[in-house]
Amino acid sequence: MPTIVLCRPLHASGMALLEARHDVTVRQLVRPSPGELAAAVSGAQAVLVGLEVVDEALLDRAPELKVVSRFGVGYDTVDIPACTRRGVVVGVTNGGNDLAVAEHTMMLLLAVARRAIEMDASVRAGAWMIREGRPMGELAGRTVLVIGYGRIGTRVARFCAAFGMRVMAADGHIPVTDIAAALPEVDVLTLHCPLSDTTHHLINRELLDLMKPTAWLINAARGPLVDEAALVAALRSGKLEAAGLDVQMREPPDPANPLLQLKNVVLSPHNAAAPIECYEKMSVRAAKNMLELFDSVLDPGYVVNPETLPNRRNI
């Protein structure tokens, strides 16, 4: 009987799918340490991971593993080549978090535009209206560059267009092939691309220097896409007006991280995909990725390395 290891709780709808299958055994972990996960996957055929690392060392401990189901769409914490060499299918929850992350991006953008966190704090402190500091701004008429024009990026582009923004994006709206050339005219830069060797520190000091001093940066993708030290320097010096960040280089951040002290930064704890509706959709898809792999009916559209699918000859 196949054993499934869960590294995080699932929504009841996802758990119901697993519990309805009497031909699998489910083992629940909660935020396991690397050692706890390594011990748990020994003899397991499937593992559901959040941001837990799946590397050669873990795979060595799991010779019977057939599928890694990522609770999300990013897979930078999973060694895809190592999984592929071993015939381990890596599934993701495509379509589960598109809306939630796009909405969260707009929340960050509006919070930056209207200084929402600062205004909330001032009211609570008894200062009804703070007039010092940077001006608030409208979204309409501003130019936004969307980097990463996939399921989430396309939704963000549509939302921005609905707010009356001028949208620039690769393969859509106003096409952009040279980010550096476009940055001097950009008012908002929003990131929605996956993290990889080629996108690590994609936004660095050189590119930040090209942006308007009134521009804003929004990142709801992965922290390492941005050179954090360069971002802090730009925000402190006035080379960049403000930022809205759902992700950081280190999560949770070091209490000494200067981003935590900057009033022109809006932060959230990598929870863009936290709405209950999103949690349910991702839980169901993550559970299905494992069960459908066992049943040899897993859709390759949910698989990072479809060449590992047992029914790949029929694809």
Side-chain angles (χ1 to χ4, degrees), residues 106 109-110 138-142 157-165:
M106 298 308 295
L109 179 51
L110 286 164
E138 296 178 344
L139 299 187
R142 294 178 186 264
R158 291 198 297 271
F159 289 165
C160 288
F163 273 88
M165 302 182 76

Side-chain angles (χ1 to χ4, degrees), residues 5-238:
V5 175
L6 305 180
C7 292
R8 57 170 299 148
L10 293 181
H11 186 278
S13 297
M15 284 303 301
L17 292 175
L18 300 180
E19 291 168 353
R21 292 286 295 259
H22 302 296
D23 57 341
V24 301
T25 298
V26 178
R27 182 176 181 187
Q28 177 73 68
L29 306 178
V30 179
R31 298 186 183 90
S33 68
E36 291 170 336
L37 178 56
V41 297
S42 177
Q45 285 70 44
V47 60
L48 181 143
V49 296
L51 293 175
E52 290 80 14
V53 173
V54 178
D55 55 12
E56 290 272 14
L58 184 70
L59 294 170
D60 284 341
R61 298 289 298 273
E64 297 180 39
L65 195 65
K66 297 182 183 300
V67 57
V68 174
S69 185
R70 253 285 293 142
F71 194 85
V73 297
Y75 45 85
D76 47 284
T77 55
V78 179
D79 187 334
I80 302 300
C83 288
T84 301
R85 287 194 299 271
R86 297 165 185 255
V88 176
V89 175
V90 179
V92 290
T93 59
N94 288 341
N97 68 350
D98 308 352
L99 177 61
V101 177
E103 287 184 346
H104 196 91
T105 297
M106 298 308 295
M107 181 277 293
L108 290 173
L109 179 51
L110 286 164
V112 166
R114 300 305 174 88
R115 298 176 62 190
I117 306 303
E118 295 173 81
M119 296 301 171
D120 176 86
S122 73
V123 173
R124 294 174 188 275
W128 179 245
M129 185 74 73
I130 54 174
R131 302 189 183 279
E132 68 276 7
R134 64 187 182 88
M136 292 191 295
E138 296 178 344
L139 299 187
R142 294 178 186 264
T143 296
V144 57
L145 172 58
V146 180
I147 296 182
Y149 202 62
R151 293 179 178 86
I152 296 170
T154 52
R155 282 186 181 268
V156 170
R158 291 198 297 271
F159 289 165
C160 288
F163 273 88
M165 302 182 76
R166 176 174 175 259
V167 181
M168 305 173 71
D171 303 321
H173 292 266
I174 301 171
V176 171
T177 55
D178 187 336
I179 294 173
L183 282 178
E185 62 177 300
V186 167
D187 299 299
V188 179
L189 175 63
T190 182
L191 306 178
H192 303 287
C193 53
L195 177 63
S196 66
D197 291 342
T198 57
T199 60
H200 185 270
H201 284 187
L202 173 68
I203 306 303
N204 53 31
R205 179 176 57 81
E206 289 75 16
L207 291 187
L208 290 170
D209 284 347
L210 295 173
M211 297 180 69
K212 298 177 182 179
T214 55
W216 309 327
L217 171 69
I218 308 296
N219 187 5
R222 288 290 187 269
L225 293 173
V226 180
D227 181 336
E228 199 167 89
L231 175 60
V232 168
L235 290 165
R236 280 176 166 171
S237 68

Side-chain angles (χ1 to χ4, degrees), residues 218-298:
I218 308 296
N219 187 5
R222 288 290 187 269
L225 293 173
V226 180
D227 181 336
E228 199 167 89
L231 175 60
V232 168
L235 290 165
R236 280 176 166 171
S237 68
K239 289 185 177 181
L240 190 71
E241 185 172 286
L245 309 173
D246 184 49
V247 290
Q248 297 184 40
M249 279 291 297
R250 173 180 167 183
E251 296 177 352
D254 188 312
N257 188 325
L259 284 173
L260 305 184
Q261 310 304 321
L262 297 177
K263 292 184 177 180
N264 55 343
V265 178
V266 175
L267 300 169
S268 58
H270 201 153
N271 70 337
I276 186 63
E277 298 88 349
C278 178
Y279 176 40
E280 180 175 16
K281 288 183 285 187
M282 292 173 65
S283 293
V284 168
R285 186 65 255 169
K288 283 185 174 181
N289 283 346
M290 296 181 288
L291 297 177
E292 290 177 0
L293 184 280
F294 293 153
D295 296 337
S296 298
V297 295
L298 178 55

